[in-house]
Short mmCIF file of all heavy atoms in Angstrom, two decimals:
data_model
loop_
_atom_site.label_atom_id
_atom_site.label_comp_id
_atom_site.label_asym_id
_atom_site.label_seq_id
_atom_site.Cartn_x
_atom_site.Cartn_y
_atom_site.Cartn_z
N SER B 9 4.61 -0.15 4.29
CA SER B 9 4.53 0.04 2.84
C SER B 9 5.91 -0.23 2.25
O SER B 9 6.90 -0.26 2.98
CB SER B 9 4.14 1.49 2.50
OG SER B 9 5.20 2.37 2.78
N LYS B 11 7.06 1.60 -0.67
CA LYS B 11 7.50 2.94 -1.04
C LYS B 11 7.20 3.91 0.11
O LYS B 11 6.22 3.74 0.81
CB LYS B 11 6.74 3.37 -2.30
CG LYS B 11 7.26 4.63 -2.94
CD LYS B 11 6.56 4.87 -4.26
CE LYS B 11 7.04 6.16 -4.89
NZ LYS B 11 6.75 7.32 -4.05
N GLY B 12 8.03 4.91 0.25
CA GLY B 12 7.82 5.91 1.29
C GLY B 12 6.76 6.93 0.89
O GLY B 12 6.43 7.07 -0.29
N GLY B 13 6.24 7.61 1.88
CA GLY B 13 5.35 8.74 1.62
C GLY B 13 3.98 8.40 1.09
O GLY B 13 3.29 9.25 0.54
N VAL B 14 3.54 7.15 1.26
CA VAL B 14 2.23 6.77 0.72
C VAL B 14 1.09 6.93 1.73
O VAL B 14 -0.08 6.81 1.37
CB VAL B 14 2.24 5.32 0.16
CG1 VAL B 14 3.18 5.21 -1.03
CG2 VAL B 14 2.63 4.32 1.24
N GLY B 15 1.44 7.19 2.99
CA GLY B 15 0.37 7.45 3.97
C GLY B 15 0.32 6.54 5.19
O GLY B 15 -0.72 6.44 5.83
N LYS B 16 1.44 5.92 5.54
CA LYS B 16 1.46 5.04 6.72
C LYS B 16 1.17 5.81 8.01
O LYS B 16 0.35 5.39 8.82
CB LYS B 16 2.83 4.37 6.88
CG LYS B 16 3.21 3.43 5.78
CD LYS B 16 4.62 2.91 5.98
CE LYS B 16 5.67 3.99 5.84
NZ LYS B 16 5.73 4.62 4.52
N THR B 17 1.87 6.93 8.18
CA THR B 17 1.72 7.69 9.42
C THR B 17 0.32 8.29 9.52
O THR B 17 -0.32 8.23 10.57
CB THR B 17 2.81 8.79 9.48
OG1 THR B 17 4.09 8.14 9.40
CG2 THR B 17 2.73 9.58 10.76
N THR B 18 -0.17 8.82 8.41
CA THR B 18 -1.54 9.35 8.36
C THR B 18 -2.54 8.25 8.71
O THR B 18 -3.48 8.46 9.49
CB THR B 18 -1.83 9.89 6.94
OG1 THR B 18 -0.82 10.84 6.59
CG2 THR B 18 -3.19 10.54 6.85
N SER B 19 -2.34 7.06 8.16
CA SER B 19 -3.25 5.94 8.43
C SER B 19 -3.18 5.51 9.89
O SER B 19 -4.21 5.26 10.52
CB SER B 19 -2.91 4.73 7.55
OG SER B 19 -3.02 5.06 6.19
N ASP B 40 9.40 4.43 13.44
CA ASP B 40 10.29 5.02 12.45
C ASP B 40 11.41 5.75 13.22
O ASP B 40 11.43 6.98 13.30
CB ASP B 40 9.49 5.98 11.56
CG ASP B 40 10.16 6.20 10.21
OD1 ASP B 40 11.35 5.86 10.07
OD2 ASP B 40 9.49 6.72 9.29
N LEU B 43 13.29 9.21 12.51
CA LEU B 43 12.45 10.09 11.69
C LEU B 43 11.07 10.18 12.34
O LEU B 43 10.07 9.74 11.80
CB LEU B 43 12.32 9.55 10.26
CG LEU B 43 13.59 9.58 9.42
CD1 LEU B 43 13.41 8.77 8.13
CD2 LEU B 43 13.98 11.01 9.07
N ASN B 45 7.58 11.22 13.40
CA ASN B 45 6.54 11.89 12.62
C ASN B 45 5.16 11.82 13.23
O ASN B 45 4.38 12.75 13.16
CB ASN B 45 6.42 11.23 11.23
CG ASN B 45 7.22 11.97 10.19
OD1 ASN B 45 7.36 11.50 9.08
ND2 ASN B 45 7.75 13.12 10.53
N VAL B 49 1.82 14.60 13.54
CA VAL B 49 0.54 14.36 12.88
C VAL B 49 -0.60 14.38 13.91
O VAL B 49 -1.69 14.88 13.65
CB VAL B 49 0.57 13.03 12.09
CG1 VAL B 49 -0.80 12.66 11.55
CG2 VAL B 49 1.56 13.13 10.93
N ASP B 119 3.42 2.18 13.52
CA ASP B 119 3.74 2.92 12.29
C ASP B 119 5.16 2.54 11.87
O ASP B 119 6.13 2.87 12.54
CB ASP B 119 3.65 4.43 12.59
CG ASP B 119 3.95 5.27 11.35
OD1 ASP B 119 3.93 4.74 10.23
OD2 ASP B 119 4.21 6.48 11.54
N SER B 120 5.25 1.84 10.75
CA SER B 120 6.53 1.29 10.30
C SER B 120 7.26 2.27 9.38
O SER B 120 6.62 3.05 8.69
CB SER B 120 6.25 -0.02 9.56
OG SER B 120 7.26 -0.35 8.65
N PRO B 121 8.58 2.22 9.35
CA PRO B 121 9.28 2.95 8.29
C PRO B 121 9.05 2.23 6.95
O PRO B 121 8.71 1.05 6.93
CB PRO B 121 10.74 2.88 8.71
CG PRO B 121 10.85 1.74 9.65
CD PRO B 121 9.50 1.54 10.26
N ALA B 122 9.21 2.94 5.84
CA ALA B 122 9.07 2.32 4.52
C ALA B 122 10.27 1.43 4.25
O ALA B 122 11.30 1.54 4.92
CB ALA B 122 8.98 3.41 3.45
N VAL B 141 -0.03 -0.14 3.00
CA VAL B 141 -0.60 1.05 2.37
C VAL B 141 0.07 1.24 1.01
O VAL B 141 1.28 1.09 0.87
CB VAL B 141 -0.34 2.31 3.23
CG1 VAL B 141 -1.04 3.52 2.63
CG2 VAL B 141 -0.80 2.09 4.67
N ASN B 172 -4.61 4.26 -0.70
CA ASN B 172 -4.70 5.65 -0.24
C ASN B 172 -4.55 6.61 -1.42
O ASN B 172 -3.94 6.28 -2.42
CB ASN B 172 -3.60 5.90 0.80
CG ASN B 172 -3.76 7.26 1.48
OD1 ASN B 172 -4.85 7.82 1.55
ND2 ASN B 172 -2.66 7.80 1.98
N ARG B 173 -5.12 7.78 -1.25
CA ARG B 173 -5.01 8.88 -2.20
C ARG B 173 -5.64 8.56 -3.56
O ARG B 173 -5.16 9.02 -4.60
CB ARG B 173 -3.55 9.31 -2.37
CG ARG B 173 -2.87 9.60 -1.04
CD ARG B 173 -1.65 10.42 -1.19
NE ARG B 173 -2.00 11.78 -1.55
CZ ARG B 173 -1.19 12.81 -1.46
NH1 ARG B 173 0.04 12.63 -1.02
NH2 ARG B 173 -1.57 14.01 -1.80
N LEU B 174 -6.69 7.76 -3.53
CA LEU B 174 -7.41 7.48 -4.78
C LEU B 174 -8.14 8.73 -5.25
O LEU B 174 -8.70 9.46 -4.44
CB LEU B 174 -8.42 6.35 -4.57
CG LEU B 174 -9.08 5.85 -5.86
CD1 LEU B 174 -8.24 4.74 -6.49
CD2 LEU B 174 -10.50 5.35 -5.61
N VAL B 202 -9.01 5.05 0.70
CA VAL B 202 -9.03 6.41 1.23
C VAL B 202 -8.83 7.38 0.07
O VAL B 202 -7.86 7.26 -0.67
CB VAL B 202 -7.91 6.61 2.29
CG1 VAL B 202 -7.97 8.01 2.87
CG2 VAL B 202 -8.00 5.55 3.37
N PRO B 203 -9.76 8.31 -0.11
CA PRO B 203 -9.61 9.24 -1.23
C PRO B 203 -8.51 10.25 -0.97
O PRO B 203 -8.15 10.53 0.18
CB PRO B 203 -10.97 9.93 -1.29
CG PRO B 203 -11.47 9.89 0.10
CD PRO B 203 -10.97 8.60 0.68
N ASP B 204 -7.97 10.80 -2.02
CA ASP B 204 -7.07 11.92 -1.88
C ASP B 204 -7.91 13.10 -1.39
O ASP B 204 -8.98 13.36 -1.94
CB ASP B 204 -6.44 12.24 -3.24
CG ASP B 204 -5.27 13.19 -3.10
OD1 ASP B 204 -4.20 12.73 -2.71
OD2 ASP B 204 -5.46 14.39 -3.37
N ASP B 205 -7.46 13.76 -0.36
CA ASP B 205 -8.33 14.73 0.31
C ASP B 205 -7.47 15.87 0.84
O ASP B 205 -6.58 15.66 1.67
CB ASP B 205 -9.06 14.02 1.45
CG ASP B 205 -10.06 14.92 2.17
OD1 ASP B 205 -10.16 16.11 1.81
OD2 ASP B 205 -10.72 14.42 3.09
N GLU B 206 -7.75 17.08 0.38
CA GLU B 206 -6.96 18.24 0.85
C GLU B 206 -7.10 18.44 2.35
O GLU B 206 -6.22 19.03 2.98
CB GLU B 206 -7.43 19.50 0.11
CG GLU B 206 -6.99 19.52 -1.34
CD GLU B 206 -7.37 20.80 -2.05
OE1 GLU B 206 -8.09 21.62 -1.45
OE2 GLU B 206 -6.94 20.97 -3.21
N GLN B 207 -8.19 17.96 2.91
CA GLN B 207 -8.37 18.14 4.36
C GLN B 207 -7.34 17.39 5.19
O GLN B 207 -7.12 17.71 6.34
CB GLN B 207 -9.79 17.74 4.77
CG GLN B 207 -10.70 18.95 4.77
CD GLN B 207 -12.15 18.55 4.66
OE1 GLN B 207 -12.61 18.12 3.61
NE2 GLN B 207 -12.87 18.67 5.75
N ILE B 208 -6.70 16.37 4.57
CA ILE B 208 -5.60 15.69 5.26
C ILE B 208 -4.48 16.71 5.51
O ILE B 208 -3.87 16.74 6.58
CB ILE B 208 -5.07 14.50 4.42
CG1 ILE B 208 -6.09 13.36 4.41
CG2 ILE B 208 -3.72 14.01 4.93
CD1 ILE B 208 -6.16 12.55 5.69
N VAL B 209 -4.23 17.54 4.53
CA VAL B 209 -3.17 18.54 4.67
C VAL B 209 -3.53 19.58 5.74
O VAL B 209 -2.73 19.87 6.63
CB VAL B 209 -2.89 19.25 3.32
CG1 VAL B 209 -1.79 20.29 3.48
CG2 VAL B 209 -2.51 18.22 2.26
N THR B 212 -3.51 18.00 9.19
CA THR B 212 -2.13 17.74 9.63
C THR B 212 -1.45 19.06 10.02
O THR B 212 -0.68 19.11 10.98
CB THR B 212 -1.33 17.02 8.52
OG1 THR B 212 -2.06 15.87 8.12
CG2 THR B 212 0.03 16.58 9.02
N ALA B 226 -11.61 11.62 3.63
CA ALA B 226 -10.57 10.67 4.06
C ALA B 226 -10.86 10.22 5.49
O ALA B 226 -10.73 9.04 5.82
CB ALA B 226 -9.20 11.32 3.96
N PHE B 230 -11.37 6.42 6.92
CA PHE B 230 -10.61 5.80 8.02
C PHE B 230 -11.54 5.26 9.11
O PHE B 230 -11.26 4.21 9.71
CB PHE B 230 -9.61 6.80 8.61
CG PHE B 230 -8.36 6.96 7.78
CD1 PHE B 230 -8.01 8.19 7.26
CD2 PHE B 230 -7.54 5.87 7.52
CE1 PHE B 230 -6.85 8.35 6.49
CE2 PHE B 230 -6.37 6.01 6.77
CZ PHE B 230 -6.03 7.26 6.25
N1 LIG C 301 -5.53 10.65 1.61
C1 LIG C 301 -4.67 11.67 1.50
N2 LIG C 301 -5.01 12.80 0.86
C2 LIG C 301 -4.13 13.83 0.75
N3 LIG C 301 -2.90 13.83 1.27
C3 LIG C 301 -2.48 12.73 1.91
C4 LIG C 301 -3.33 11.59 2.08
N4 LIG C 301 -2.64 10.65 2.75
C5 LIG C 301 -1.43 11.17 3.01
N5 LIG C 301 -1.31 12.42 2.51
C6 LIG C 301 -0.14 13.30 2.59
O1 LIG C 301 0.96 12.60 2.04
C7 LIG C 301 2.15 12.88 2.75
C8 LIG C 301 2.79 11.59 3.23
O2 LIG C 301 1.93 10.97 4.18
P1 LIG C 301 2.53 10.15 5.41
O3 LIG C 301 3.56 10.93 6.13
O4 LIG C 301 1.37 9.62 6.17
O5 LIG C 301 3.24 8.97 4.62
P2 LIG C 301 4.24 7.87 5.18
O6 LIG C 301 3.96 6.64 4.39
O7 LIG C 301 4.13 7.77 6.65
O8 LIG C 301 5.66 8.50 4.78
P3 LIG C 301 7.12 7.98 5.23
O9 LIG C 301 7.43 6.81 4.37
O10 LIG C 301 8.00 9.14 4.95
O11 LIG C 301 7.03 7.63 6.69
C9 LIG C 301 1.77 13.80 3.88
O12 LIG C 301 2.06 15.12 3.51
C10 LIG C 301 0.27 13.59 4.02
O13 LIG C 301 -0.38 14.75 4.51
#
Side-chain angles (χ1 to χ4, degrees):
Chain B
S9 71
K11 190 173 178 299
V14 295
K16 295 176 294 297
T17 302
T18 306
S19 300
D40 203 345
L43 293 169
N45 264 172
V49 172
D119 181 16
S120 156
V141 185
N172 189 25
R173 308 199 71 164
L174 188 88
V202 182
D204 192 78
D205 183 359
E206 288 184 353
Q207 267 159 287
I208 288 284
V209 180
T212 308
F230 281 121

